Amino acid sequence: MTPSGSPPTLSGVTSTGSSILIVDDDPSLRELITDLLASQGYRPVAVANGREAIAALEKERFHLVLTDLRMPGMSGERLVEECIERWPHLPLIVLTAYGSIEDALELIRKGVYDYIPKPHKEKDLLLRIARALERERLTSEITRLRKVIAQRERERIFTEDPAVQEALAKAEAVAGTDYPVVLMGESGTGKELFARFIHAKSARQGGPFVPVNSGAIPRELFESELFGHAKGAFTGASAARRGLFEEAEGGTLFLDEVAEIPQDQQVKLLRALQEGEVKRIGDNVVRRLDVRIICATNRDLAREVSERRLREDLYYRINVMPIRLPPLRERKTDLVPLARHLLEREAAAMGRSMGGFTPAAEQKILSYPWPGNVRELENRIRQALVLAGGESIDAPDLMLEDASLLRGAPQAPPVPAGDGAPAGEPASLNEARRRFEHDYLVEVLRRNRGNATAAAKEAGKHRSEFYDLLKRHKLQPADFRPGGRSA
């Protein structure tokens, strides 16, 4: 017993008041341990055998079980196995005689926290109990924090729409497994948000979440990016490098735009998924990995298979749980509430107080098709906050009259500065639209420092469509990178 009469603690954390179940068929030993634990401020409950222990565990929550191994009826080994199966987070300490220490070690391999040889020393018993309870406290705290994180991820998916609620239910159901998931939906529908939600609800939530835009990786670098390379594997490989699969060890690898993976690399990805192992370029070492795969696409994967752009065996490997995310135009019940939610969030970020949308603005939101989905809605609200002069967002502030330009509508040829309408006359509608589109592309490239893939994603456009727009306006992404002439 410690001089103060309080139980031994770790890191200053006391476990006084913790309930401990004592299981032993020796009445004198039960009484001895009960008195010792009670004197330290614990709440001991003593039973004579395994069946009584199971009955007690079913009635109330215990913080720790202290059990003998050799008992009549249900043995300590059987009690431990059932506890591990039914209460996996409950710490177990085994009291064992010298002859059964090997059995105790085997139980530790199965999940028992510790064992204490008989006859025990009081100080040693109390110290081990304190350590086990500290671990139980930390495990409970981690579980609580993980639930908080998962709930926050859930709250980020703002919806009242039945189709999105159904997708969320599927995501939550599959999160507890390691099955591959394919998230299908147009650009801007929140596929990465759903992938993070699945990761946060899974047992891998403590591991890394590694997002990969498959369409943004150059073909010649794809294998190195995913699987890594050894030093000297190719020109420029001055040091060994871990691939993204290794970065995601113990967690989740999110492969966005999976249909964009080059065909010659699909077989290597398939092997990594089937075998659970990777080999760096130029290296003979095979590395076993524990990684969960979530894929996303805005294409019809079955059509990609039929048109031989996606391997059929890879399709069946990744498409265990498909989840469709509806486009924003199908979520009529979500449109205005989501817009209000985003306006409140963005206004707070800008330090502005806004009274919401005018009726005309809400009607405009409801009638617009939102080809860029939630991402486009976010951008339009940010633009409106910049333009709005009053305390509410009005219909013209949303600039939706010009939004069709970003969907690739036919444009008039570029007009040099100073040409077009005669001096003193307003520019033609086509010229005004062309100028707006050009200025928008310049701005979005500047914001993304010349990264065309990120700029296309912000604009709610497919990469190839975005490049067509850049070509039309004679813009080069490289000019907007650090050091470029337009940076």
Side-chain angles (χ1 to χ4, degrees), residues 5 44 52 62 76 194 211 235 246 293 305 342 401 427 431 457 472:
E52 291 182 8
F62 287 90
F194 263 75
T235 303
E246 289 184 64
I293 298 293
V305 171
L342 293 174
E401 293 80 2
E431 170 59 12
K457 190 172 184 180
R472 184 183 304 154

Side-chain angles (χ1 to χ4, degrees), residues 183-224:
L183 299 168
M184 300 174 294
E186 298 176 6
S187 295
T189 50
K191 296 187 288 293
E192 183 171 338
L193 203 58
F194 263 75
R196 290 183 181 277
F197 171 72
I198 292 171
H199 174 74
K201 294 288 288 186
S202 74
R204 298 175 176 272
Q205 56 195 208
F209 177 88
V210 180
V212 183
N213 187 332
S214 306
I217 303 176
R219 179 187 297 269
E220 62 274 12
L221 297 180
F222 191 86
E223 185 176 0
S224 173

Side-chain angles (χ1 to χ4, degrees), residues 301-318:
L301 291 186
R303 178 178 293 178
E304 295 294 307
V305 171
S306 67
E307 296 179 1
R308 299 185 179 279
R309 289 191 292 268
L310 182 69
R311 291 180 60 98
E312 186 175 15
D313 45 6
L314 178 59
Y315 170 74
Y316 287 116
R317 170 63 59 176
I318 65 176

Side-chain angles (χ1 to χ4, degrees), residues 391-413:
E391 295 183 354
S392 297
I393 301 296
D394 203 0
D397 299 328
L398 293 167
M399 298 177 64
L400 297 182
E401 293 80 2
D402 301 312
S404 61
L405 299 172
L406 301 182
R407 303 198 299 277
Q411 301 298 310

Side-chain angles (χ1 to χ4, degrees), residues 111-170:
V112 166
Y113 174 75
D114 203 354
Y115 76 93
I116 300 175
K118 290 182 178 180
H120 66 270
K121 297 179 180 178
E122 289 188 359
K123 184 177 180 180
D124 183 47
L125 174 64
L126 292 174
L127 180 61
R128 293 184 189 226
I129 287 174
R131 286 173 175 167
L133 289 170
E134 173 68 359
R135 192 183 77 159
E136 192 270 343
R137 186 192 67 80
L138 292 174
T139 300
S140 297
E141 180 65 10
I142 290 170
T143 301
R144 185 190 69 81
L145 291 174
R146 285 176 174 174
K147 288 179 179 178
V148 170
I149 292 170
Q151 181 60 27
R152 286 179 180 173
E153 291 292 337
R154 168 65 179 83
E155 290 171 355
R156 290 177 64 198
I157 304 174
F158 186 96
T159 185
E160 297 174 5
D161 183 79
V164 184
Q165 294 285 4
E166 181 182 349
L168 271 173
K170 287 182 179 179

Side-chain angles (χ1 to χ4, degrees), residues 259-328:
E260 301 261 2
I261 295 176
Q263 286 185 308
D264 57 336
Q265 300 297 332
Q266 291 178 18
V267 65
K268 297 172 183 176
L269 173 61
L270 177 64
R271 175 173 175 78
L273 299 181
Q274 286 178 332
E275 306 299 329
E277 59 188 32
V278 299
K279 189 164 65 172
R280 298 177 184 176
I281 298 175
D283 197 346
N284 292 323
V285 177
V286 174
R287 291 172 169 81
R288 298 286 303 176
L289 296 176
D290 176 26
V291 176
R292 201 253 184 90
I293 298 293
I294 300 177
C295 299
T297 182
N298 56 11
R299 299 189 190 179
D300 183 341
L301 291 186
R303 178 178 293 178
E304 295 294 307
V305 171
S306 67
E307 296 179 1
R308 299 185 179 279
R309 289 191 292 268
L310 182 69
R311 291 180 60 98
E312 186 175 15
D313 45 6
L314 178 59
Y315 170 74
Y316 287 116
R317 170 63 59 176
I318 65 176
N319 197 38
V320 176
M321 175 58 76
I323 300 176
R324 177 183 178 271
L325 306 185
L328 193 55

Side-chain angles (χ1 to χ4, degrees), residues 343-464:
L343 175 61
E344 182 180 348
R345 187 189 73 187
E346 295 300 325
M350 291 180 65
R352 292 190 61 180
S353 177
M354 297 298 294
F357 298 94
T358 65
E362 292 189 355
Q363 184 57 45
K364 183 74 72 174
I365 289 170
L366 287 169
S367 60
Y368 182 69
W370 298 108
N373 294 294
V374 179
R375 190 178 298 122
E376 183 182 8
L377 177 60
E378 286 179 327
N379 288 339
R380 290 293 162 184
I381 288 174
R382 288 169 183 157
Q383 292 171 352
L385 278 168
V386 173
L387 296 174
E391 295 183 354
S392 297
I393 301 296
D394 203 0
D397 299 328
L398 293 167
M399 298 177 64
L400 297 182
E401 293 80 2
D402 301 312
S404 61
L405 299 172
L406 301 182
R407 303 198 299 277
Q411 301 298 310
V415 180
D419 292 349
E425 293 186 15
S428 69
L429 180 59
N430 279 343
E431 170 59 12
R433 286 176 173 172
R434 187 202 69 77
R435 289 176 183 174
F436 171 81
E437 187 178 72
H438 177 275
D439 292 346
Y440 179 85
L441 293 172
V442 168
E443 178 61 25
V444 79
L445 282 170
R446 281 178 177 163
R447 273 202 302 271
N448 291 280
R449 300 169 66 83
N451 185 325
T453 299
K457 190 172 184 180
E458 181 178 330
K461 299 294 293 179
H462 191 274
R463 194 161 54 110
S464 60

